[in-house]
Amino acid sequence: MQVKNETTPRPDVAQAFFGDTDHGPMVMVNLLKFKDKATYPDGRDPGLSGRDAYNRYGAAVVDCLKAVGGHVVYSGPVSGIMLGEVEELWDAVALAWYPSPQAMLQMVATPDYQAIEIHRYAGLAGQLNIRTKAPQ
């Protein structure tokens, strides 16, 4: 199995994801890998860690989730692996509940979300997003 972290979905993947006919609740599993140092386009906060930049995003995204009927289920550091093997562990995992994939699409299109996304990109080296079906 090949694992490839990314920061932005490819257009064809995003189209398939949001065009899926399953419109029910979902939990998005976010496996996160942070940069050692945050990289803001304007050069701000040169000593800030990638984790700290991403935490700015994480704190603000809670309100964005609430605005579309979602919420954070869990967020925390990865501390080990018991089964399987990867070259390098992710730094953190976050689980976010959405009423539907369309709610997630609605959230990322809002000005409030777009204003905080700079912290996500500044801190994130890459991630995996895995959609899971949530109970109704």
Side-chain angles (χ1 to χ4, degrees), residues 72-85:
V72 174
V73 175
Y74 173 79
S75 179
V78 171
S79 60
I81 188 169
M82 185 179 98
L83 186 61
E85 186 177 332

Side-chain angles (χ1 to χ4, degrees), residues 28-91:
M28 183 65 79
V29 178
N30 299 271
L31 298 173
L32 308 165
K33 188 69 182 166
F34 303 122
K35 296 175 184 174
D36 289 332
K37 293 290 182 187
T39 54
Y40 285 95
D42 60 8
R44 75 176 97 162
D45 297 329
L48 191 68
S49 73
R51 180 184 299 272
D52 287 341
Y54 189 87
N55 285 343
R56 290 176 177 176
Y57 165 83
V61 81
V62 170
D63 289 334
C64 295
L65 279 163
K66 285 181 188 174
V68 298
H71 64 275
V72 174
V73 175
Y74 173 79
S75 179
V78 171
S79 60
I81 188 169
M82 185 179 98
L83 186 61
E85 186 177 332
V86 293
E87 286 183 23
E88 189 174 359
L89 282 179
W90 291 271
D91 297 315

Side-chain angles (χ1 to χ4, degrees), residues 4-10 30-35 39 54 57 113 117 120-129:
K4 182 179 178 186
N5 289 318
E6 296 178 318
T7 57
T8 305
R10 295 180 309 278
N30 299 271
L31 298 173
L32 308 165
K33 188 69 182 166
F34 303 122
K35 296 175 184 174
T39 54
Y54 189 87
Y57 165 83
Y113 180 85
E117 202 170 26
R120 180 181 172 277
Y121 287 116
L124 198 58
Q127 75 182 87
L128 293 180
N129 284 141

